[in-house]
Amino acid sequence: MTTGLGDSPARTSYRHGDLRRALIDAGVDLAQEGGPAAVVLREATRRAGVAPSAAYRHFADRQALLDAVCSSCQALVARAIEADQAGIRSTDAAEAARLRFRAVGTGYLRFALEQPGQFQTAFSASSDLDSATSSARAGDSGLTPFQLLTVALDDLVAQGLLAAERRPAAEFLAWSAVHGLAELFIDGPLRALPDPVKQTLIARVINMVEQGL
Amino acid sequence: MTTGLGDSPARTSYRHGDLRRALIDAGVDLAQEGGPAAVVLREATRRAGVAPSAAYRHFADRQALLDAVCSSCQALVARAIEADQAGIRSTDAAEAARLRFRAVGTGYLRFALEQPGQFQTAFSASSDLDSATSSARAGDSGLTPFQLLTVALDDLVAQGLLAAERRPAAEFLAWSAVHGLAELFIDGPLRALPDPVKQTLIARVINMVEQGL
DNA sequence: GCTCACATGTGTACGATGTACACATACCAG
DNA sequence: CTGGTATGTGTACATCGTACACATGTGAGC
């Protein structure tokens, strides 16, 4: 056996081991550095140490690679939300549900500010409601960002913090507000705002959602 | 004089008359057909009937052309908002202010659904808070979309419909919600929703903003 | 264990794009 | 009329996505 498999540092000649994974990882790096437009097929193959055409053994075209990178980035968003939720310490079940709901927003927006390129990539490409629940986009809990929001809203209803008749489509209202703020932060007019002001806006948007749902 | 100036249909040889304007117009058409990525410099020059290099007499690079197209598209958004506001008939000043505020949201989202390509282009590129007030992005009233929202919120305060202490930064909260919904509609998971459902969501998001501000 | 078929990576090639640079042409000032 | 400047042309190059023929490992069946 001439080559180990899955070894990133050592270059193996010819057979790569797991080129598909390597291309997606390179794509995620590119997305981090420059957003979806920077996910360039040739550069990904360069970083994986293979010829450009090799990518076509694993992806139909550049868009297919970008879709896969997009899914990976959504999984990172899910992880960021889970991280914020994991920090919650509360004995009161109702209060805990409320904090878990808010953590969906804070985690989402924290990730958008910390990794704007990956965030933009996560929501750049084709994603209908079906693929929003694909497992490739899930975090450690096995849930996608969208599903984490849905669960948090269900919990609000279960704890009596949200009237059942206001529950339908509430995920879209909450998502709109939080996602819109992220867009304004990343390449919208709020880009240059100092960080404390951004934090204040984040809290106020989440307040608006809580009161307005 | 061999050539009239500003004539779109008749091809004039050599001196074009107003190539800058022609390139921006072609760019707006391209944006309408395929969003910001479709604003391709060479295709714009092709439609204007000139050589590719000619564009560089009027724009530093492709991004500069895209910025100009972006401004034009924002002006179209402003016009859509103004159109919705113009349809308001109300003798009650407070009610009129409230409807004008809601019309900012409905006009914004109506344009996003009717002209997704131009809408995406309008908010795709570099736009900080300064350029958000640039006159190139204004509609017939001379106000940009952002300024129309600001004015509408000021009127709400003047009519006693919004507490003064809630006024600061309110434009960013309202914009977040409405802009986020537009994104979810255009290339997000809500793309395939039937139109009536979209209209319901639009009304609910605006309700959320009114209650949550 | 040998062979052969298939999966996977290589090399070359083509059209499109953004952009630089030298050249050509039309208009304006004197 | 004449020359300078603004504006459009032509050619050229690097890069990108992608197609296609070819090379090379790997595993299945004898």
Side-chain angles (χ1 to χ4, degrees):
Chain A
M1 182 189 287
T2 60
T3 112
L5 47 121
D7 45 359
S8 313
R11 294 298 159 86
T12 145
S13 70
Y14 233 86
R15 293 310 165 87
H16 182 282
D18 192 355
L19 181 54
R20 182 186 167 81
R21 186 75 255 158
L23 288 174
I24 294 177
D25 289 346
V28 171
D29 287 351
L30 289 169
Q32 178 178 37
E33 296 163 24
V39 180
V40 167
L41 190 144
R42 287 182 100 107
E43 177 61 21
T45 60
R46 231 171 273 137
R47 297 192 178 193
V50 299
S53 326
Y56 289 86
R57 298 297 175 186
H58 302 276
F59 301 98
D61 53 14
R62 183 199 112 106
Q63 186 59 48
L65 169 60
L66 187 57
D67 285 352
V69 171
C70 155
S71 290
S72 283
C73 288
Q74 277 195 33
L76 296 177
V77 176
R79 249 180 269 276
I81 293 172
E82 288 163 1
D84 273 30
Q85 289 184 328
I88 295 172
R89 298 281 174 269
S90 175
T91 52
D92 180 26
E95 179 68 3
R98 201 180 76 92
L99 292 177
R100 267 200 309 279
F101 170 69
R102 293 184 70 96
V104 175
T106 58
Y108 193 92
L109 285 161
R110 183 173 55 78
F111 185 82
L113 291 176
E114 286 175 1
Q115 295 293 347
Q118 292 177 340
F119 179 86
Q120 283 184 288
T121 307
F123 300 101
S124 68
S126 61
S127 61
D128 40 26
L129 264 182
D130 298 337
S131 59
T133 62
S134 148
S135 67
R137 296 156 190 247
D140 294 325
S141 66
L143 299 176
T144 65
F146 179 73
Q147 292 172 320
L148 287 166
L149 174 58
T150 300
V151 168
L153 283 165
D154 287 343
D155 286 354
L156 283 187
V157 174
Q159 296 296 327
L161 294 175
L162 177 65
E165 68 267 22
R166 291 183 174 270
R167 175 64 186 81
E171 44 266 73
F172 304 128
L173 306 193
W175 196 351
S176 290
V178 169
H179 186 73
L181 185 60
E183 294 281 329
L184 295 184
F185 277 160
I186 290 180
D187 52 12
L190 304 186
R191 203 182 331 153
L193 249 47
D195 192 70
V197 181
K198 286 181 182 169
Q199 296 304 326
T200 305
L201 272 177
I202 289 176
R204 289 195 59 186
V205 162
I206 298 180
N207 289 343
M208 175 181 78
V209 173
E210 275 194 337
Q211 293 172 20
L213 272 187
Chain B
M1 183 189 287
T2 59
T3 113
L5 46 122
D7 45 358
S8 312
R11 296 297 160 86
T12 146
S13 69
Y14 233 88
R15 293 309 165 90
H16 183 281
D18 192 355
L19 182 54
R20 181 185 167 82
R21 186 75 254 158
L23 289 174
I24 293 178
D25 290 346
V28 172
D29 287 350
L30 289 169
Q32 178 178 37
E33 296 163 24
V39 180
V40 167
L41 191 144
R42 288 181 100 110
E43 177 62 21
T45 61
R46 230 171 274 137
R47 297 193 178 192
V50 299
S53 326
Y56 289 85
R57 299 296 175 188
H58 302 276
F59 301 98
D61 52 14
R62 182 199 113 107
Q63 186 59 48
L65 169 60
L66 187 58
D67 285 352
V69 171
C70 156
S71 290
S72 283
C73 288
Q74 278 195 32
L76 295 178
V77 176
R79 247 179 272 275
I81 293 172
E82 288 163 2
D84 273 30
Q85 288 184 328
I88 296 171
R89 298 281 174 271
S90 174
T91 52
D92 180 26
E95 180 68 5
R98 201 180 77 91
L99 291 177
R100 267 200 308 279
F101 170 69
R102 292 185 70 96
V104 176
T106 59
Y108 193 92
L109 284 161
R110 183 173 56 77
F111 185 82
L113 290 176
E114 286 175 3
Q115 296 293 347
Q118 291 177 340
F119 178 86
Q120 284 184 287
T121 307
F123 300 101
S124 68
S126 61
S127 61
D128 40 26
L129 264 182
D130 297 338
S131 59
T133 62
S134 148
S135 69
R137 297 156 189 246
D140 294 326
S141 65
L143 299 176
T144 66
F146 179 75
Q147 292 172 320
L148 287 166
L149 173 58
T150 300
V151 168
L153 283 165
D154 287 343
D155 286 355
L156 284 187
V157 174
Q159 295 297 327
L161 295 175
L162 177 64
E165 68 267 22
R166 292 184 174 270
R167 174 65 185 81
E171 45 266 73
F172 303 129
L173 306 192
W175 196 352
S176 291
V178 170
H179 185 73
L181 185 60
E183 293 282 329
L184 294 184
F185 277 161
I186 290 180
D187 52 13
L190 303 186
R191 203 183 331 153
L193 250 47
D195 193 69
V197 180
K198 286 182 182 169
Q199 296 304 325
T200 306
L201 272 177
I202 289 176
R204 288 195 60 187
V205 162
I206 298 180
N207 290 342
M208 174 180 79
V209 172
E210 275 194 336
Q211 293 173 19
L213 273 186

